[in-house]
Each structure stands twice: as C-alpha cells, then as structure tokens.
Amino acid sequence: MSQPCAIENCKRASRALCHCCHQNLCRDHLNQHDDMLNAKLIPFTDEINQLDDRLRHIDVKYILEHTHEQLDQWRRESYRKIDEYIDDRKRKLTENINFQIHNASDGITRLKAIISQLIEKQDTTVDDLNAISRNIQSIRQEITQVEYKMIDLNISPLEIDHRLIRLGEEYVKHDFNLSTLMPPFHIINRSPESHKPVTTNNKVLLMHLQNQLCLFNQELQFIKGIPWNYAWIWDMCWSSTLSRFFIITRNEIFILDENTMTLECLQKEDNYSLCACTCSDISFYVIVVIKTFVEII
Ligand SMILES: [Zn+2]
Ligand SMILES: [Zn+2]
C-alpha cells in the first residue's frame, strides 16, 4: 500500500520517495519539490557569475603597484650600498698605492741624503755600500709592484640570499580551501567487500574494486587493473624513491609496479600482524599489532 504524501494537508497518495530528503511525495508535490530545489540553483549561478566577474576585473598591475615600488626601492638602496662599498674600496686602493709611492719616495730621499753625506765625508765603507744596495733593491721592488699593478685583489662574487625578500605565500603552491569541501565531482561505487585503503602517486589512484587492484586517473576514470587473489588489504602507500606502491595484508608485504602492473610479494610475516604502512624518501614504515613502530628498510 502506498504511503500518504509527506506534505502537510495533502491527501494524495505518494508516488515517489525523494532520495535527497527521504520524503514520500505525491506527483504534484514531487514536481513542486523538484522545481523548488532547481530554483535554488539560480541564486548560486548569479553568485558564481558575480565572483567570476570580480575575478576577471582584478587588475594585477594595480594590486602589485605598491609591492613593486617597495621592491624597486629595495633595489635602489642595494645599488647605492654597492656603489658606496665599491667607492670605499677604490678609495682604500688609492690610499694604499699613494702610501707605497710615498714610502718609496721617502726611501729615495733618505738614500740621496745618505749618499750626499758619504760623498762629503769621503769615508765610505763596504757595509755602507751593502746597506745602500739593499735599500735600492727594496725601493726597486716597491716601485715595480706599483708600476705593474701587482695588487692582490681577492674578490668573492656577491651572493644574493633569497631569504632577504620573503614573499608571504611563496611556498603555498596551491591554494586549497580546506574549510569547505567541494561536492564530489565523480563517485566510484564500491561494494562492501572492496578493501578499504586508497592511495595515490599524484598521477594515478590505487584502490581495490571488485576483486581487482585498480588504477584510476585524476579524473577518476578506470585505467587498468589486475586480479587480487590475496588476503584483505590493510593499507597501501606510494614510495617515490622506488616508484612502487606498497600493499600490506595481515601477513604479507607486496609491491606493485604501476607501469607493468606486476605484483611481487616481498615478505611473509608470521610473527606479527601488519596493519598500516607509509613511506618517506628513505624509509618504509609499518605498524604491527604489537604496537611497535618498525623500520624495515
Ligand atoms: Zn527531497
Ligand atoms: Zn502531496
């Protein structure tokens, strides 16, 4: 016997069960109900169009104007600091050379005076001559250094520390809004017998479906599958280092090559019961029922 229509004061018998709100409705009220739900889409469409319009009218140049000005200001100040630094080094270099020239000049003046005195005294010894010779040699070296620009310059390239300017969200590659999940864009119907774990390698999604290990692409379309004739799958994970999926049952660890779809049993474990796994770049972690965190690889 059919149920009465769920709408108050409606005497008609229901014709259908609305799956979205689980109400039994007569034909008229089902149509009304349907129209009402569909009508609610219109404000959403308007709202989405408004958002789309706002998005398309965003003037990126205008938004970035002030930030670009700050960066340009930073660049001008940095250039100025480099200019000041180089000017300072040049000044120091000139000072050094002038000091060397002055030093050599002093030496020459001193030597001239000594030689004049010795000529005047006419009392020159071998030691005097040796000392004068050593002084001349030293002055010659100083002059040669200046003449041939033998200046030790030890220049290191200027390394720019990229942390000098931090962009607020530089490391946020994708802007996910986790506060509201979008409605599902595709649904894969799985039977209660399907093993629960699911994992991905950013290219394909791996799950158990109808006695098969199946790969789906990012649009959740089936790509390929192989029969699964083993025990209940407790967990699965992807190793980017090995480019393989790990699959664990209670007592076995398998690896799956997504390209060839070959499955290999790595290890049988009779002493522990495996229940969860995950991978880092260098390790494969497995949780076992004795509740110990075991690093196997
Ligand atoms: Zn409904
Ligand atoms: Zn009704």
Side-chain angles (χ1 to χ4, degrees):
M1 194 180 132
S2 67
Q3 303 271 329
C5 174
I7 302 300
E8 213 178 326
N9 298 328
C10 177
K11 302 280 186 275
R12 288 185 288 266
S14 67
R15 290 296 185 89
L17 171 68
C18 173
H19 289 291
C20 70
C21 56
H22 305 291
Q23 281 186 316
N24 289 304
L25 296 168
C26 68
R27 193 194 337 234
D28 287 356
H29 281 125
L30 181 67
N31 288 340
Q32 268 181 27
H33 182 64
D34 219 21
D35 291 346
M36 188 187 74
L37 290 180
N38 286 328
K40 284 185 178 170
L41 282 178
I42 292 166
F44 281 143
T45 311
D46 292 345
E47 210 172 327
I48 290 166
N49 286 341
Q50 278 172 18
L51 291 174
D52 194 24
D53 198 47
R54 270 173 63 187
L55 204 59
R56 278 187 284 110
H57 282 88
I58 286 177
D59 184 346
V60 175
K61 207 173 160 194
Y62 171 75
I63 289 172
L64 291 178
E65 202 175 346
H66 176 62
T67 317
H68 280 180
E69 179 48 43
Q70 283 179 299
L71 291 173
D72 287 340
Q73 176 69 19
W74 186 91
R75 174 162 54 192
R76 284 192 294 273
E77 281 175 17
S78 304
Y79 283 165
R80 186 178 54 75
K81 282 181 185 167
I82 291 174
D83 287 346
E84 282 175 4
Y85 178 66
I86 291 298
D87 287 346
D88 175 71
R89 294 292 85 190
K90 283 180 178 175
R91 193 165 44 245
K92 186 74 186 157
L93 206 56
T94 311
E95 270 176 27
N96 285 352
I97 287 196
N98 282 338
F99 177 79
Q100 279 179 292
I101 290 172
H102 193 256
N103 217 23
S105 175
D106 278 356
I108 286 170
T109 308
R110 225 173 20 252
L111 273 181
K112 277 182 180 171
I114 289 168
I115 289 170
S116 295
Q117 280 175 12
L118 288 174
I119 289 170
E120 201 176 308
K121 284 184 185 169
Q122 290 293 309
D123 190 20
T124 308
T125 65
V126 173
D127 287 346
D128 290 336
L129 292 174
N130 286 341
I132 290 167
S133 176
R134 281 198 301 275
N135 273 288
I136 289 175
Q137 177 66 16
S138 164
I139 290 167
R140 185 184 292 117
Q141 275 179 359
E142 278 183 49
I143 293 173
T144 307
Q145 269 190 356
V146 175
E147 275 180 340
Y148 291 94
K149 307 184 188 81
M150 291 157 73
I151 298 154
D152 271 342
L153 262 192
N154 206 343
I155 302 182
S156 306
L158 179 63
E159 304 264 353
I160 301 281
D161 182 348
H162 290 274
R163 290 166 302 178
L164 284 173
I165 299 173
R166 288 173 185 264
L167 309 180
E169 294 173 357
E170 188 165 17
Y171 301 108
V172 180
K173 300 281 190 242
H174 302 285
D175 186 18
F176 291 115
N177 182 356
L178 295 177
S179 60
T180 50
L181 289 176
M182 296 287 278
F185 77 92
H186 187 82
I187 291 173
I188 298 171
N189 287 316
R190 305 173 74 210
S191 68
E193 288 75 38
S194 291
H195 305 181
K196 306 304 177 214
V198 61
T199 191
T200 181
N201 61 358
N202 286 323
K203 288 190 303 183
V204 294
L205 191 73
L206 173 67
M207 70 169 79
H208 179 270
L209 188 70
Q210 292 162 350
N211 296 323
Q212 281 201 316
L213 269 184
C214 301
L215 293 182
F216 294 83
N217 64 15
Q218 299 212 341
E219 282 71 47
L220 294 183
Q221 290 159 339
F222 175 80
I223 308 173
K224 50 191 170 183
I226 49 164
W228 176 258
N229 300 318
Y230 306 95
W232 182 263
I233 297 172
W234 279 87
D235 204 1
M236 307 193 288
C237 64
W238 169 254
S239 163
S240 51
T241 308
L242 299 174
S243 293
R244 295 285 187 280
F245 284 106
F246 277 93
I247 299 156
I248 60 165
T249 65
R250 193 175 178 82
N251 300 112
E252 293 153 316
I253 300 171
F254 294 89
I255 53 168
L256 173 72
D257 181 334
E258 60 153 325
N259 298 313
T260 60
M261 289 303 272
T262 45
L263 195 64
E264 186 185 344
C265 181
L266 282 189
Q267 192 166 337
K268 277 189 186 292
E269 189 52 76
D270 294 327
N271 300 323
Y272 307 125
S273 292
L274 314 171
C275 55
C277 64
T278 192
C279 278
S280 70
D281 287 345
I282 55 167
S283 300
F284 173 55
Y285 300 96
V286 182
I287 300 281
V288 298
V289 286
I290 55 167
K291 295 188 172 66
T292 308
F293 206 54
V294 180
E295 188 176 310
I296 291 180
I297 290 174

